[in-house]
Amino acid sequence: MDHHSFLASGSQQNQRCQSLSKKTLYTQIAEAKRNSESDIENTYLRSCALKLAQQGDYIEAIALLSQLIDNHPDNAVNYNNRGLIYFQSGDSQKALYDYNTAMQLNPKLASAYNNRANYYAAAGELVAALSDYDQALDLNPRHVRAWINRGITLRELGQYAEAIENFETVLLFGQLQGHIWAERGRTYHLWGDWNCAIADYYRSLTHLTSLDTSQDISAYRLRLQLESWLNELLNPYVN
């Protein structure tokens, strides 16, 4: 009797385990679905915030990112993105706070170091900026914008040869070449090598003209800047 009871009990236990396994599986699937939906929603909100910022609607962009931060206070990327928009809107102190928070949450987030370096560069703290650009590149050696910004900072420090070497290195990655040629040309310009400067300016303008820059504000502004730099060289006595 005990033997049969044991078998019956075992069968019931197996049924319970199977039922539990099914419930656990269903729970895991449901949770995974919720997490997936949450990730999609977060990605969508983040994308909307960045688009709003590109359109100059900083208040709404910051509100969306603040909502994301409230929902996910440990997400360093959201702090970094909000800091970038604060910086673009002119609120540099809030930007710095968000960059620092992002780095505390994720000390390996290269873009946060690049963004904080931009803050330091804008404030004229070029040595501090260079240190952060170096840290960003230590974490991500292929961070093209950090390379470009580092070259600009070296130029601002009067280290023209190092700046040129920096730009030549980042050209090897094959990205944002129009921007790199423009900044290398400006470095040659300030260094006194006007032939190389003009060659790089025209190279950059040709590259940018081949692109659709109507939706790229930074590229459009760069074209205007290039025309101004070229005018300095070709018409030095014109005010």
Side-chain angles (χ1 to χ4, degrees):
M1 181 65 66
D2 291 342
H3 180 65
H4 290 290
S5 296
F6 175 77
L7 288 176
S9 176
S11 176
Q12 292 171 357
Q13 185 175 4
N14 287 337
Q15 290 177 359
R16 292 194 193 98
C17 286
Q18 290 174 1
S19 176
L20 180 60
S21 296
K22 288 180 181 179
K23 288 181 180 179
T24 302
L25 179 59
Y26 292 149
T27 301
Q28 290 174 343
I29 292 173
E31 184 178 354
K33 184 178 180 181
R34 286 195 299 270
N35 289 339
S36 177
E37 290 172 349
S38 178
D39 289 342
I40 292 172
E41 181 183 1
N42 291 339
T43 300
Y44 175 73
L45 288 176
R46 192 177 296 120
S47 176
C48 286
L50 295 178
K51 287 180 181 178
L52 285 167
Q54 290 172 354
Q55 296 167 3
D57 193 346
Y58 299 123
I59 294 176
E60 287 298 322
I62 289 169
L64 280 180
L65 286 168
S66 295
Q67 178 183 336
L68 282 170
I69 288 171
D70 288 342
N71 294 337
H72 305 279
D74 295 330
N75 189 305
V77 173
N78 291 331
Y79 278 102
N80 185 43
N81 287 338
R82 190 176 69 174
L84 180 60
I85 297 173
Y86 272 133
F87 184 74
Q88 292 172 343
S89 70
D91 199 336
S92 58
Q93 289 306 308
K94 287 184 178 179
L96 180 61
Y97 173 83
D98 274 355
Y99 297 150
N100 288 335
T101 302
M103 284 184 280
Q104 289 172 3
L105 292 170
N106 183 1
K108 295 185 178 181
L109 186 60
S111 58
Y113 287 94
N114 175 68
N115 289 341
R116 190 175 70 175
N118 290 341
Y119 161 84
Y120 285 136
E125 300 179 41
L126 300 182
V127 174
L130 196 60
S131 176
D132 267 359
Y133 289 134
D134 287 343
Q135 182 62 37
L137 292 171
D138 284 343
L139 293 168
N140 179 8
R142 299 186 67 86
H143 196 304
V144 173
R145 292 193 180 277
W147 275 108
I148 295 173
N149 294 331
R150 182 177 185 272
I152 294 170
T153 303
L154 287 167
R155 183 179 70 213
E156 291 296 314
L157 288 167
Q159 300 176 25
Y160 299 118
E162 291 86 347
I164 294 296
E165 183 179 353
N166 181 99
F167 292 130
E168 290 178 349
T169 297
V170 70
L171 275 171
L172 298 175
F173 298 142
Q175 300 175 38
L176 297 177
Q177 291 173 307
H179 290 71
I180 299 166
W181 282 320
E183 297 299 348
R184 188 178 68 176
R186 183 59 173 172
T187 305
Y188 279 128
H189 184 166
L190 295 176
W191 202 11
D193 192 337
W194 291 6
N195 288 330
C196 285
I198 292 172
D200 269 354
Y201 287 159
Y202 278 123
R203 189 179 286 117
S204 178
L205 279 172
T206 300
H207 180 79
L208 291 172
T209 301
S210 69
L211 303 175
D212 179 11
T213 60
S214 60
Q215 301 299 320
D216 189 339
I217 295 176
S218 65
Y220 175 73
R221 288 175 177 170
L222 180 60
R223 288 184 63 180
L224 295 179
Q225 183 65 76
L226 277 165
E227 292 170 2
S228 175
W229 288 341
L230 262 174
N231 189 57
E232 283 182 30
L233 282 176
L234 301 178
N235 304 288
Y237 301 111
V238 176
N239 293 327

